[in-house]
Amino acid sequence: MAPRAGQPEHRGPLLPGLLLVAAALSRPAAPCPFQCYCFGGPKLMLRCASGAELRQPPRDVPPDARNLTIVGANLTVLRAAAFAGGDADGEEAAEGGVRLPHLTALRLTHNNIEVVEDGAFDGLPSLTALDLSHNPLRTLGGGAFRGLPALRSLQLNHALARGGPALLAALDAALAPLDELRLLGLAGNALSRLPPAALRRPRLEQLDVHLNALAGLDPDELRVLESDGGLPAPRLLLADNPLRCGCAARPLLAWLRNATERVPDARRLRCAAPRALHNLPFLDLDEARLRCADGDADGRGDEVELAGPELEASYVFFGLVLALIGLIFLMVLYLNRRGIQRWMRNLREACRDQMEGYHYRYEQDADPRRAPAPAAPAGSRATSPGSGL
């Protein structure tokens, strides 16, 4: 379109200039690492998902990166200062030990990580959120989290089930220096008890232990969960655990009723044993029904299976069903009484005819006149009077 008369033609040169300024302002401080994706520039988020090809954390992460996500790699072993310049070959860390001073969130899920060495996260002073969920951890160094003074959220969901008791003991040592920890996720780890170090975190706000193997909480654990020193007590997620509803569960039931807000999923708690209380809501039970076997004072043995109202009702229903079946059977007999009488008469006549036949054959066999004549001796011959011999 031709410009109007008297209007200066400066739109053409202005548009390329604006584009150059925008490109300069949006240019990242450093290029995106190989095998990674940068979203909104490295300051926002950097995602590395390259399957089994990535065997160690990328070394060319921009130093001003805020969020780093590595998913689906094959890291296997996180050595000391893995994100501060050290790598799987044991090379030294970067000078000063800090290469990502602004990194606040690190997500390392589904990376087949089996070993986390002492000081694996050294050089990340600003890290506040760490997610190691869905990794088959077998070894965890006691100083694995020692370089994370600002860590507030640690997620280890579905990551500890394969390590056994030794890994749980190492977890207690690894959690010790995390005084600023607020959120701790331990779901899906087959835990049979709460880690003591997790209960002793002074600023812990939420502990997620749902989908584990907890049969209950003992009084010592409940006392530790109470508020101490004026700090708010942590919330506890307990759903999908196989609770054993015996006398040992009475302190837990009383604690839940007095602090229901402390367990947001309390209404989802259900009994796994004994069989009489199976799958019943835990909060709906009376303490009188939480009984133990004879001679079992601590409640750790097999609980007595109570015949509660539900079981009594089932017995009554079963009796009514049997009575109905008997009534129907009698009604069928009554409606077919003539046929049954005819069948009985025919059966009686058949039996009588059979017995008469047996009696007749017995009489015939016992008649002496029908007995066979005795046979003549072998050496004698019968002679007639007129034979002349």
Side-chain angles (χ1 to χ4, degrees):
M1 179 183 297
R4 295 181 181 178
Q7 182 177 3
E9 299 183 7
H10 61 276
R11 291 186 177 180
L14 181 61
L15 183 59
L18 292 175
L19 293 177
L20 290 176
V21 172
L25 293 176
S26 62
R27 185 177 303 157
C32 192
F34 178 66
Q35 296 179 336
C36 297
Y37 305 92
C38 296
F39 298 91
K43 289 186 178 182
L44 295 181
M45 187 175 75
L46 184 143
R47 181 184 180 94
C48 302
S50 58
E53 298 178 3
L54 190 63
R55 298 183 179 275
Q56 62 184 21
R59 303 190 61 186
D60 51 351
V61 177
D64 56 350
R66 296 293 195 272
N67 300 323
L68 175 59
T69 299
I70 302 177
V71 178
N74 191 23
L75 301 181
T76 309
V77 178
L78 290 182
R79 299 194 181 278
F83 296 89
D87 60 11
D89 297 327
E91 295 183 7
E92 295 296 331
E95 183 179 357
V98 177
R99 192 165 56 87
L100 300 173
H102 305 293
L103 190 69
T104 59
L106 178 59
R107 183 186 178 203
L108 301 174
T109 61
H110 299 280
N111 286 308
N112 197 32
I113 300 174
E114 297 183 0
V115 178
V116 179
E117 295 184 352
D118 291 341
F121 304 100
D122 286 353
L124 304 176
S126 301
L127 193 68
T128 60
L130 175 61
D131 192 350
L132 291 170
S133 300
H134 298 280
N135 284 292
L137 291 180
R138 300 182 184 275
T139 303
L140 181 66
F145 308 128
R146 68 188 180 192
L148 303 175
L151 192 66
R152 291 170 173 254
S153 175
L154 176 61
Q155 301 297 324
L156 294 170
N157 304 313
H158 302 276
L160 307 175
R162 299 186 181 182
L167 182 59
L168 298 180
L171 176 64
D172 281 342
L175 293 176
L178 302 179
D179 292 335
E180 298 296 326
L181 192 65
R182 284 359 185 228
L183 304 177
L184 178 58
L186 298 174
N189 287 315
L191 299 178
S192 59
R193 62 176 181 85
L194 297 180
L199 301 177
R200 292 192 297 266
R201 296 307 89 212
R203 292 177 173 80
L204 189 66
E205 297 177 357
Q206 177 171 302
L207 176 59
D208 185 0
V209 288
H210 81 276
L211 199 64
N212 277 286
L214 297 173
L217 300 180
D218 58 41
D220 294 336
E221 292 173 332
L222 295 177
R223 280 193 294 269
V224 176
L225 286 171
E226 293 297 333
S227 58
D228 187 16
L231 297 175
R235 295 186 302 272
L236 191 64
L237 301 181
L238 273 176
D240 302 316
N241 278 288
L243 295 183
R244 194 169 189 85
C245 299
C247 60
R250 291 176 183 174
L252 176 60
L253 181 60
W255 181 77
L256 287 174
R257 287 176 175 172
N258 294 329
T260 308
E261 70 282 354
R262 297 275 306 281
V263 184
D265 55 359
R267 292 293 174 184
R268 294 171 53 194
L269 298 179
R270 295 185 175 273
C271 297
R275 189 166 55 246
L277 303 178
H278 178 70
N279 208 34
L280 293 182
F282 183 60
L283 285 181
D284 294 344
L285 297 178
D286 295 328
E287 288 191 8
R289 301 188 65 184
L290 302 179
R291 300 178 57 185
C292 299
D294 296 338
D296 187 13
D298 60 354
R300 294 297 182 182
D302 295 333
E303 289 82 359
V304 176
E305 297 187 0
L306 304 177
E310 296 83 2
L311 195 58
E312 294 176 0
S314 64
Y315 287 153
V316 173
F317 178 75
F318 184 66
L320 292 176
V321 170
L322 290 180
L324 181 61
I325 293 174
L327 182 60
I328 293 174
F329 180 72
L330 293 176
M331 186 177 297
V332 170
L333 292 179
Y334 177 76
L335 294 177
N336 293 276
R337 61 188 183 280
R338 294 183 179 178
I340 295 174
Q341 291 175 356
R342 184 167 51 253
W343 178 78
M344 292 295 294
R345 187 168 52 252
N346 294 337
L347 180 62
R348 187 171 57 252
E349 291 177 356
C351 291
R352 186 172 57 248
D353 294 342
Q354 189 72 15
M355 293 304 296
E356 287 179 354
Y358 288 148
H359 183 67
Y360 177 76
R361 286 196 295 271
Y362 175 77
E363 290 181 348
Q364 292 294 326
D365 294 340
D367 189 357
R369 296 174 299 177
R370 299 182 60 86
S380 64
R381 286 198 312 179
T383 56
S384 61
S387 61
L389 297 177

